[in-house]
Amino acid sequence: MRDENWGTFTPVVEDLKLDQTAEEFSVTYRATCSDAARTLVCDARIRGGADGSLSFEVSAEPKTDVETNRTGFILLHPLKGVAGKAVKVLHVDGREEASTFPEAIDPMCPFQDIRALSHEITPGVWATCTMEGDTFEMEDQRNWSDASYKTYVRPLSRPWPYVLKKGHSIKQAVRLVISGTLPPAADRAATRPVRIDIGKVSGKFPDMGLGVPTEEAAHALERVDLLRRLDPKWLICQVDLRDNKGNRELDAYRQLAEATGADVALEIVTSGGPRPLDELKTLAKAVDQARLTPNAVALFPAQDMKSVLPGSKWPEMPSFKEIYGAAREAFPGAKLGGGMATYFTELNRKRPPADLIDYVTHTTCPNVHAADDRSVMETIETLPYQILSTRSFMGDRIEYRIGPSQLGCRENPYGKSTAANSDNRRVCLSRIDPRQRGLFNAAWMVAYAAAVAQGGVDAIAFGAPTGPFGHIYRRAEFVQPYFDTLNRPAVYPSFHVFAGLSQCSGADLLDMRFSDRGRLAALAVRDVADTVVLWVANLTADEIVAEIPAIAGRSASIIELKADAFERLSSTPDFLESEAEISGAKLALDAYAVIRVKVY
């Protein structure tokens, strides 16, 4: 149940009962969704059978008039074994359609007016999901980095919000049936080692960059010695002409560039007026007065900072030709970037002409729809599809940059603002994510960098120097447990990952093969000294053993970012220099641990 702002209610569950026999199980409960304005009471029953059948039925009664954007079932199909595969669609009118789950990400709804979906889960075995009680449609959630296709109740073509009238009960059900003979379950023991093989050169590792929000520029200068250790190759320096943010920071941007040797890409959000050239010329004059020489300029009209649903009318604004032409005239010596300062979703819905810009860009946010650890880590699965899709409509020749991306949400194009999170919880669409300061973020960054590098992206930016998206601690307006108790400079585990990966910028990227993809992420490069540098991250909360044949019989060293080293990780900026020799091809990684191995 979602309110008129797409906020999701957390139900209060009562009368939970579970019954189980050798042949079936059932679960019943009552759930209440309510706030000061509305109350909905749901009676639910879940049944499962030994034949693989599953049903989930709900009868819901509004105790008041209930204003809602969506109330009902959501059905998710995963990507693995599904993307690009055949699907049979039964429509509400009884019509049957044979199609495929899209491989390139669909900006619209792949299927509408759905009653049932069937797909082959293994040769000769089909899973059929039937949805009752309303009309369902599907959206491609990879647009938002979710690792799923999402089938939801009530088409978005109907008006929303809508009202469930008091006393008028609604009933819905989802039923799963398996047809065909299931093979014996395969051994998927979590204790089994994951073998990682290093292959041949497959490309170049992208240049590592940092975002510099206006509010963090001065803080970054205060920690410039630590920033030098990060060694970013480019800085995304933000200027927002909607509220005149960034002009006062231009001098700080220049100092940061001079201190690090990084190129500057100005990320400019225009005010949205009809004459972009006038304000860009004014900005260019201020940039020149600050003695700042941007290597690149990316331009984003204010109208593009809010999401527009497919089929809706786009706001009145200058054309692509007018916008990019104004940028070329105001900043003639800089590369010109276009796309979206927000997420792939918006880029997929509004695609810039490749012949008007030098590079295309967007960011990602891993917690638009779900903020639990597993869902956030699974968003890595969507990156190859986002890259494939962007290349399909922008072409292979144009430069491709992603970022700055991080666990927190820097911009919410789907609502009025980002979500508050004063309690350091896992919250969707919030700027503050406590995992930014932990090992989870370090592992997520390694996995993200590996996916983007193998996808052939030219440059990537992660987070910011300091603040809610930072790699370096500073005291802030939000509580940061442990770090706020320290009386010394401190860094987060991601600091070491960024610093190490930045050293890989431009190096030969090596192909990777896994015996069990999904539990570990890894990337490897060969540096100028012919040393193989391998990064491996545990993407789970369980210990996993990595088996790496390339280490056997070779001289090798290791750095481990793990929980029992957390105090040293936070207090030792040069942690990567404390390498230890290793022998043997099997290495254990604890929960969300990261290792760097150098093979000489």
Side-chain angles (χ1 to χ4, degrees):
M1 175 175 163
R2 306 189 79 168
D3 65 19
E4 62 277 10
N5 293 314
W6 294 104
T8 304
F9 286 81
T10 300
V12 176
V13 175
E14 302 172 295
D15 300 331
L16 178 65
K17 297 177 182 178
L18 299 91
D19 294 302
Q20 179 171 295
T21 69
E23 294 300 317
E24 64 178 14
F25 71 85
S26 68
V27 181
T28 59
Y29 63 88
R30 169 164 286 194
T32 301
C33 297
S34 65
D35 61 12
R38 74 211 95 189
T39 298
L40 184 77
V41 177
C42 306
D43 290 305
R45 178 182 295 275
I46 305 171
R47 290 192 181 100
D51 59 355
S53 63
L54 184 68
S55 66
F56 195 164
E57 304 166 316
V58 170
S59 176
E61 182 179 352
K63 298 299 182 182
T64 63
D65 283 356
V66 172
E67 187 177 28
T68 179
N69 281 354
R70 176 178 297 153
T71 294
F73 276 106
I74 300 293
L75 178 70
L76 303 181
H77 280 79
L79 302 184
K80 294 179 179 179
V82 175
K85 302 298 184 181
V87 60
K88 299 175 183 177
V89 184
L90 176 64
H91 293 281
V92 172
D93 61 6
R95 178 172 50 92
E96 294 184 348
E97 176 187 1
S99 188
T100 58
F101 287 97
E103 186 169 23
I105 301 173
D106 195 325
M108 311 291 283
C109 295
F111 307 112
Q112 296 176 299
D113 300 327
I114 301 170
R115 178 62 66 228
L117 295 166
S118 303
H119 76 287
E120 195 173 32
I121 58 176
T122 194
V125 180
W126 287 75
T128 298
C129 296
T130 303
M131 292 144 278
E132 303 170 357
D134 207 328
T135 299
F136 288 72
E137 70 182 13
M138 180 189 290
E139 67 186 12
D140 196 332
Q141 275 210 130
R142 296 174 298 173
N143 277 292
W144 296 271
S145 296
D146 298 72
S148 58
Y149 301 93
K150 172 179 170 180
T151 304
Y152 52 89
V153 76
R154 191 175 169 97
L156 288 173
S157 58
R158 297 183 186 178
W160 50 269
Y162 58 98
V163 176
L164 303 175
K165 301 297 292 184
K166 177 182 177 181
H168 289 245
S169 64
I170 57 174
K171 295 183 179 181
Q172 292 181 21
V174 175
R175 307 184 195 282
L176 169 67
V177 175
I178 305 295
S179 60
T181 302
L182 286 168
D187 175 21
R188 296 182 56 83
T191 57
R192 190 172 54 208
V194 177
R195 176 174 169 137
I196 301 174
D197 290 300
I198 302 173
K200 297 180 179 180
V201 174
S202 59
K204 295 288 185 181
F205 190 78
D207 288 336
M208 289 282 290
L210 271 175
V212 186
T214 54
E215 64 273 16
E216 299 301 329
H219 296 296
L221 277 176
E222 292 171 357
R223 292 155 179 79
V224 71
D225 288 343
L226 290 174
L227 186 58
R228 287 193 184 99
R229 284 191 171 274
L230 286 176
D231 191 26
K233 306 309 178 189
W234 61 301
L235 301 173
I236 302 177
C237 298
Q238 298 170 7
V239 177
D240 194 335
L241 299 178
R242 292 175 297 180
D243 47 16
N244 203 31
K245 286 184 177 179
N247 278 298
R248 290 190 298 271
E249 286 74 27
L250 294 175
D251 188 63
Y253 293 156
R254 174 185 57 79
Q255 293 182 61
L256 291 171
E258 291 175 349
T260 60
D263 289 333
V264 168
L266 284 182
E267 180 186 80
I268 304 170
V269 180
T270 71
S271 65
R275 297 178 61 85
L277 180 58
D278 292 345
E279 61 184 359
L280 289 177
K281 280 187 172 180
T282 300
L283 174 60
K285 184 177 180 180
V287 169
D288 187 60
Q289 289 173 344
R291 294 179 290 116
L292 176 64
T293 306
N295 170 267
V297 170
L299 199 67
F300 309 105
Q303 294 91 333
D304 287 347
M305 299 302 287
K306 289 297 178 184
S307 187
V308 177
L309 285 174
S312 301
K313 184 179 179 182
W314 214 271
E316 292 294 328
M317 59 187 298
S319 67
F320 280 125
K321 188 174 182 179
E322 291 172 309
I323 292 166
Y324 296 141
R328 291 280 192 199
E329 187 171 342
F331 297 94
K335 287 185 177 181
L336 178 59
M340 289 289 169
T342 51
Y343 310 124
F344 172 82
T345 317
E346 286 63 56
L347 174 65
N348 202 19
R349 290 174 175 175
K350 187 178 182 182
R351 305 167 178 181
D355 60 343
L356 295 182
I357 55 179
D358 299 310
Y359 67 91
V360 64
T361 186
H362 64 86
T363 69
T364 66
C365 176
N367 59 20
V368 173
H369 292 116
D372 61 281
D373 290 351
R374 180 173 176 176
S375 295
V376 169
M377 198 62 83
E378 282 180 346
T379 61
I380 300 298
E381 295 178 28
T382 70
L383 291 170
Y385 296 103
Q386 290 188 352
I387 295 167
L388 168 73
S389 302
T390 300
R391 287 299 188 193
S392 72
F393 58 77
M394 294 302 298
D396 294 330
R397 295 184 179 181
I398 191 169
E399 188 179 341
Y400 187 1
R401 303 184 182 189
I402 293 181
S405 298
Q406 57 278 315
L407 294 182
C409 173
R410 71 172 188 151
E411 188 87 25
N412 180 7
Y414 317 111
K416 293 181 179 179
S417 64
T418 55
N421 187 17
S422 59
D423 296 330
N424 273 296
R425 297 179 182 272
R426 286 145 169 77
V427 175
C428 292
L429 292 170
S430 175
R431 289 175 62 82
I432 300 169
D433 191 313
R435 293 166 293 195
Q436 179 75 20
R437 308 185 289 272
L439 284 170
F440 184 97
N441 186 38
W444 180 82
M445 281 177 56
V446 170
Y448 196 111
V452 167
Q454 292 294 344
V457 169
D458 299 285
I460 179 175
F462 280 117
T466 55
F469 310 145
H471 308 290
I472 303 167
Y473 167 76
R474 72 164 175 86
R475 190 167 293 277
E477 63 279 4
F478 55 93
V479 176
Q480 301 172 83
Y482 173 71
F483 290 96
D484 286 341
T485 66
L486 303 178
N487 295 314
R488 52 172 171 75
V491 297
Y492 308 133
S494 63
F495 178 92
H496 308 291
V497 170
F498 190 105
L501 291 181
S502 193
Q503 295 173 9
C504 300
S505 297
D508 286 339
L509 180 71
L510 303 177
D511 191 29
M512 307 296 297
R513 294 184 297 276
F514 300 83
S515 64
D516 184 2
R517 185 176 293 275
R519 291 195 288 155
L520 294 179
L523 65 89
V525 301
R526 179 178 288 115
D527 65 17
V528 292
D530 206 32
T531 299
V532 172
V533 182
L534 170 68
W535 288 83
V536 183
N538 183 354
L539 308 185
T540 77
D542 301 314
E543 181 182 282
I544 296 176
V545 174
E547 184 178 359
I548 310 169
I551 299 176
R554 301 282 298 276
S555 175
S557 62
I558 189 171
I559 288 287
E560 298 179 88
L561 283 66
K562 54 185 180 179
D564 62 8
F566 196 86
E567 185 174 357
R568 287 186 59 221
L569 287 171
S570 64
S571 63
T572 313
D574 59 355
F575 183 83
L576 291 181
E577 297 174 16
S578 55
E579 295 173 307
E581 292 186 3
I582 57 168
S583 60
K586 291 186 177 181
L587 303 171
L589 288 84
D590 206 347
Y592 303 116
V594 172
I595 61 173
R596 185 191 70 183
V597 177
K598 288 186 175 182
V599 185
Y600 303 99

